[in-house]
Amino acid sequence: RMASFPYIKTLADFDWGFQPSVPRGLVEQLATLEFVDRGDNVALVGSPGVGKTHLSIAIGHEAVMARKQVYFADCSRLVEDLKHASAKEALARRMRFYEHCSLLIIDELGYLDIGKEDADLLFQLVNRRYALKRSTIATTNVPVGRWGDVFGSNVTASAVADRLCHHCAMIKITGRSYRLKDVSIGGEDG
Ligand code: ADP
Ligand code: MG
C-alpha cells in the first residue's frame, strides 16, 4: 500500500494554536474518514506554509492506517505524468491508475500554471473520480475563483472546480506561514 507521501505528518504533530483559522473539529471529523466512504472531497486553500500539505498528509495517513488505497500526487507532476502517458497513447491505463484509489491527494494545485490542454487531462481525471464517487483532497494557494488563471481557461477551471467543490469540505486557512514562525519580518525585535 504505497501512498507515496513525501514525508509523514500526523494531526498529533499539528500545532492548532499556531493556526487558529483551521477548523479543528472539521479536520478531526475528516480524520474519521467518513468523507472517504461517502466519496466526498476536501479543498485546503491558503497561502504557502500554512499547513495545507501537512493536513492533507495527516488525513491521508489515517486512511492508509485504515487500509484504504491512498495516492498522494504533486499536481504538476500528476499533470506531467498524464501528458507523458497521452503522448505514448497510454493515457487510459494511467487514468485508471489515478482513478482507482479511494483517496487521491492532489497537492499544490496552482503552484505552477497548467496549459489549457494539460488542464483538460486533469479535468478528465477529476471528472472520472467524481462519476465514480471517489474522494479527492486538493490543496491550493489559489482561491478557487482564480483557477482560470492557473488553467489558462475559465471554462476548464469552472469544470474542475464544479466537480471538486461539489460535496466538498472547503477549508480556508488564513494565518501565517509556519515556516516563518521564528522569523520576524519588518525589523522589529522579538
Ligand atoms: P503548505 O502546504 O500550506 O505550503 P506545509 O503543510 O508544507 O504548508 O507546512 C510547511 C511546514 O510547516 C511543514 O513542515 C509542516 O509540517 C509545518 N507546519 C505547518 N503548519 C503547522 C502547524 N500548525 N503545526 C505544526 N507544523 C506545521
Ligand atoms: Mg504544500
Side-chain angles (χ1 to χ4, degrees), residues 7 47-54 56 72 107-108 111 139-140 179:
Y7 48 79
S47 49
V50 296
K52 304 180 298 294
T53 300
H54 182 136
S56 73
F72 178 101
D107 192 39
E108 306 281 17
Y111 189 74
T139 85
T140 180
R179 292 194 186 98

Side-chain angles (χ1 to χ4, degrees), residues 120-146:
D120 192 60
L121 294 172
L122 183 64
F123 167 72
Q124 286 180 45
L125 172 60
V126 167
N127 192 39
R128 284 290 298 157
R129 291 188 62 81
Y130 178 77
L132 294 164
K133 286 198 166 60
R134 297 207 170 122
S135 299
T136 302
I137 299 180
T139 85
T140 180
N141 64 333
V142 181
V144 179
R146 293 220 317 267

Side-chain angles (χ1 to χ4, degrees), residues 17-63:
F18 181 81
Q19 213 59 277
S21 70
V22 175
R24 180 172 184 169
L26 174 56
V27 172
E28 287 175 344
Q29 162 65 31
L30 293 171
T32 68
L33 306 174
E34 278 165 33
F35 82 99
V36 177
D37 297 329
R38 286 195 303 266
D40 288 357
N41 296 327
V42 178
L44 290 155
V45 186
S47 49
V50 296
K52 304 180 298 294
T53 300
H54 182 136
L55 291 172
S56 73
I57 290 174
I59 295 167
H61 185 246
E62 291 296 324

Side-chain angles (χ1 to χ4, degrees), residues 57-138:
I57 290 174
I59 295 167
H61 185 246
E62 291 296 324
V64 170
M65 303 301 273
R67 300 178 157 268
K68 306 212 180 275
Q69 288 207 311
V70 182
Y71 194 77
F72 178 101
D74 170 81
C75 185
S76 311
R77 286 224 201 147
L78 169 67
V79 169
E80 275 307 307
D81 186 40
L82 291 178
K83 184 171 149 181
H84 187 70
S86 165
K88 289 198 310 176
E89 298 188 357
L91 184 61
R93 192 157 45 84
R94 213 54 200 142
M95 276 287 178
R96 278 198 299 277
F97 171 81
Y98 288 114
E99 267 167 32
H100 89 277
C101 53
S102 46
L103 177 61
L104 176 68
I105 300 172
I106 302 178
D107 192 39
E108 306 281 17
L109 194 160
Y111 189 74
L112 296 177
D113 285 355
I114 303 169
K116 198 173 163 338
E117 276 171 34
D118 300 349
D120 192 60
L121 294 172
L122 183 64
F123 167 72
Q124 286 180 45
L125 172 60
V126 167
N127 192 39
R128 284 290 298 157
R129 291 188 62 81
Y130 178 77
L132 294 164
K133 286 198 166 60
R134 297 207 170 122
S135 299
T136 302
I137 299 180

